[in-house]
Structure formats: C-alpha cells, structure tokens
Amino acid sequence: MRVITGIARGMSLKTLEGENTRPTSEKVKEAIFSAVQFEIEGRRVLDLFAGSGQMGIEALSRGAASAVFVDRDKGAIEIIKENIAKTRFEDESEVVQMDYLSFLRMNTRTFDIVFLDPPYAAGYLEKALDFCGQFIAAGGIAVCEHSAEQTLPEEAGNLKLYRKYNYGKTSVTIYRKD
C-alpha cells in the first residue's frame, strides 16, 4: 500500500497484520480520490475506522489542512502513528484511540470530509452516518466504503446521497450536506 499522489507520493504505508483490518484496495482508493479531488485542498478530514490511516494520509498528501484518525484497536493506532511519522504529517494530524460511537457522541468539531470504512458486516456504517451530519460542514461530504451487497439510504439525517460507485465486491457511496 502506498500514497498515490501529492507531497508524500509513492511512500509505502504499513498495514495491520491479520483479519481485523481490511485496507482499502489501491483501485478503490484511487477511484475515491478521483471522485473527490476538488474537495480536498485546505479541508478538515475525519478518518473514522482508520485502520492504517491511509485515507487521511492520502488526503493530507493532496493538501487537506488537517486530519483526525480514529480507531479502537491499539495495534492500528501504532501503525497509524508510524505512517504519519513516515509521511511527516505529525503537525496536521491527531490520532484518537476510541470506539467510533464514543468519538461521535463526544465530538464537538466540524469536518469537511469524513471517510467511513467500517467492518462490512458489523452494522456500524448506518449508525455512524446518523451522527455524521451533525458535524459535517455545509457542503461537506461523507465517503462510505461498504459491501456491494449493502444498500444505503437516499438520506441519512441531513446528508443526501450524492453519488454511488461499484468496484466488484466493494461499493463507495458519497453523501453531501447541503
């Protein structure tokens, strides 16, 4: 896994070993960032269910102002910190070891872009989407990676489905806050 473009272009990133983390494939990551390329510059990013932190790091590499990385797994947090240090994004990053729902309930900040890539079968995505609209800035987006078998609603709180893409067994649904 590597950073696709931007100031950290080509740098390889570590991933957590084992079955607990499913990194976004290069193909899907490239497609996501092609779809949101004009949304990133100067934006505040939340990488929820961060895993290795690759989505937030890619956004920082492409000019995002800041990124908050949230994951409950201690091993994932260590990998995220290593990847942030390797790409030299420490000043723009905050790493939080916490369950996603606890983070969403206590969060008081506003984000422009939220990346949501939870374990597919866990049912976390719908719950997270319900909270996200509360702290996504006007015009902001939520980028959801999920199983192609899963159908997401047209609306989630004050977020409206904007676009949907399919990549084999994986789908990406983007919501926008008006």
Side-chain angles (χ1 to χ4, degrees), residues 2-154:
R2 63 181 174 79
V3 178
I4 298 168
T5 196
I7 60 177
R9 180 182 181 172
M11 287 190 176
S12 61
L13 302 174
K14 285 181 139 183
T15 60
L16 196 60
E17 299 294 324
E19 301 288 317
N20 292 339
T21 303
R22 175 197 34 77
T24 300
S25 73
E26 293 272 327
K27 175 184 169 184
V28 172
K29 182 170 71 168
E30 205 159 330
I32 288 170
F33 281 95
S34 288
V36 301
Q37 65 185 330
F38 301 113
E39 311 269 351
I40 298 169
E41 186 75 31
R43 304 291 201 251
R44 297 158 300 187
V45 173
L46 171 61
D47 190 350
L48 200 59
F49 310 100
S52 65
Q54 72 164 323
M55 299 304 282
I57 290 170
E58 185 72 38
L60 289 170
S61 182
R62 292 170 182 249
S66 63
V68 175
F69 300 84
V70 179
D71 204 291
R72 70 176 181 190
D73 186 275
K74 184 180 179 181
I77 293 297
E78 290 173 13
I79 294 287
I80 293 165
K81 288 179 179 178
E82 285 180 43
N83 286 335
I84 289 169
K86 182 175 186 177
T87 54
R88 298 186 183 109
F89 290 128
E90 295 99 326
D91 291 344
E92 299 90 347
S93 301
E94 180 184 345
V95 181
V96 179
Q97 183 179 354
M98 186 180 286
D99 172 76
Y100 83 99
L101 206 46
S102 299
F103 177 82
L104 292 174
R105 285 183 175 144
M106 52 111 354
N107 178 58
T108 58
R109 290 173 275 193
T110 303
F111 297 98
D112 302 296
I113 302 171
V114 177
F115 291 108
L116 300 163
D117 183 13
Y120 284 177
Y124 299 153
L125 185 54
E126 294 86 347
K127 227 179 245 187
L129 268 173
D130 287 340
F131 278 92
C132 283
Q134 299 171 24
F135 57 80
I136 291 179
I141 59 173
V143 180
C144 308
E145 185 178 337
H146 56 94
S147 166
E149 297 170 2
Q150 183 179 14
T151 302
L152 295 180
E154 291 289 318

